[in-house]
Amino acid sequence: MSSATLPTPNVSVQQIIDELIAARQQGGVASAANLDGTLTTAEQAYEVQAAVAKALGWFGTDFPRYWKSGGANREATLTHAPLPPAGVWNSPAEAGAFFFHRRGIEVEVALRLSKAVDHATALELDEAGASSMVDAMAVSIEVVDSRWQECMTAPALMRLADLQCHGALIVGEWQPWQERDWAQQVCRVKVGEQPVVERRGTHPLGNPTWGLVAWLRHATRDGATVPAGTVVTTGTWVGILDAQLGDLVVARFEGIGSAQVQL
């Protein structure tokens, strides 16, 4: 996502780029089923991410300052996406007229870097080294959405091309980073009038820092440097919870803080 020249997409990948741009500009959705099989590699999906971001002017020549990264477990290939700044809000937040096709809720711990990281540094890092570059953490809520009408049943690469189903990110108050007993970490989520969902030790990767190295190597792979202050969300503790227009969503992590959004 640096200012380096993007590769020229082939015709079929360009069609996906065009569909996603149109969906975002028109506040609509497209059919992933009609394009199934077009993407065959994750790099093509990342190519789509970059091309859509460039066309819509999300970042200009700046490096994206907010990212999502994660995977289902440590055996899975982690995926990553830069987040459009217009959909990143401080808690407490109100969605207002912001358009969502779907309102899924993920609650996560966001991490903030204290140091800039270039590709050479990223290649040398292990988890401990990457953790040492984190200076703060915050509770975050991601509103999961899709530009594909099939939402979460769209093919995996199509979801990845669409920023891994990102809608908006709400970030709570920053707290100094400290290692915790993540296996005992409790989080609670209240979505509208639904019962409180409580989870303990359910981070899919075991702890929020486990995937930092993979994310940093991805984010710097084209020669970019990840600036100090860049934020990454690290995986949902509750899967995806369903929310509706008008719901108030409140997430709390014991010992870390809270975040909330009025949908």
Side-chain angles (χ1 to χ4, degrees), residues 138-155:
V139 175
S140 64
I141 299 169
E142 183 180 15
V143 182
V144 176
D145 196 12
S146 181
R147 271 48 59 180
W148 304 122
Q149 65 186 28
E150 298 87 353
C151 291
M152 299 306 293
T153 63

Side-chain angles (χ1 to χ4, degrees), residues 22 26 54 74 78 96 103 152 170 203 224 248:
Q26 299 167 16
K54 182 178 181 181
R74 292 191 176 192
L78 304 190
R103 295 171 179 83
M152 299 306 293
I170 299 88
H203 190 277
L248 175 65

Side-chain angles (χ1 to χ4, degrees), residues 83-95:
L83 307 184
V88 178
W89 312 322
N90 291 326
S91 174
E94 293 190 10

Side-chain angles (χ1 to χ4, degrees), residues 59 62-67 82-83 85 113 215 226-232:
F59 311 117
D62 297 332
F63 187 86
R65 300 308 293 265
Y66 292 86
W67 289 72
L83 307 184
L113 293 184
W215 165 62
V226 181
T230 301
V231 173
V232 61

Side-chain angles (χ1 to χ4, degrees), residues 102-106 189 191 194 197 199 238-243:
R102 181 195 172 174
R103 295 171 179 83
I105 299 298
E106 296 183 349
V189 189
V191 179
Q194 300 177 39
V197 174
R199 297 287 185 269
V238 297
I240 302 177
L241 307 177
D242 290 324

Side-chain angles (χ1 to χ4, degrees), residues 4-196:
T5 302
L6 297 172
T8 301
N10 63 43
V11 174
S12 57
V13 173
Q14 184 63 55
Q15 185 176 359
I16 293 177
I17 294 168
D18 292 343
E19 292 278 7
L20 288 173
I21 291 171
R24 287 184 176 277
Q25 289 177 329
Q26 299 167 16
V29 292
S31 173
N34 293 338
L35 299 166
D36 192 10
T38 302
L39 299 179
T40 58
T41 68
E43 280 307 313
Q44 287 178 320
Y46 291 127
E47 179 185 334
V48 174
Q49 288 184 6
V52 172
K54 182 178 181 181
L56 296 179
W58 288 342
F59 311 117
T61 59
D62 297 332
F63 187 86
R65 300 308 293 265
Y66 292 86
W67 289 72
K68 65 178 293 184
S69 177
N73 51 60
R74 292 191 176 192
E75 286 68 48
T77 299
L78 304 190
T79 58
H80 324 278
L83 307 184
V88 178
W89 312 322
N90 291 326
S91 174
E94 293 190 10
F98 198 86
F99 175 79
F100 295 111
H101 173 53
R102 181 195 172 174
R103 295 171 179 83
I105 299 298
E106 296 183 349
V107 300
E108 312 183 34
V109 175
L111 304 178
R112 188 179 69 194
L113 293 184
S114 62
K115 301 177 181 179
V117 180
D118 60 20
H119 191 59
T121 302
L123 290 177
E124 295 176 353
L125 286 175
D126 57 12
E127 183 185 355
S131 298
S132 72
M133 296 183 173
V134 175
D135 72 344
M137 58 185 173
V139 175
S140 64
I141 299 169
E142 183 180 15
V143 182
V144 176
D145 196 12
S146 181
R147 271 48 59 180
W148 304 122
Q149 65 186 28
E150 298 87 353
C151 291
M152 299 306 293
T153 63
L157 290 176
M158 299 290 272
R159 299 196 305 270
L160 179 56
D162 186 31
L163 303 186
Q164 198 58 27
C165 304
H166 174 72
L169 178 70
I170 299 88
V171 182
E173 185 176 349
W174 290 103
Q175 305 292 336
W177 164 251
Q178 59 178 338
E179 286 289 354
R180 300 178 61 81
D181 184 354
W182 296 107
Q184 298 302 316
Q185 177 66 55
V186 173
C187 69
R188 298 180 181 89
V189 189
K190 186 77 166 68
V191 179
E193 298 303 315
Q194 300 177 39
V196 173

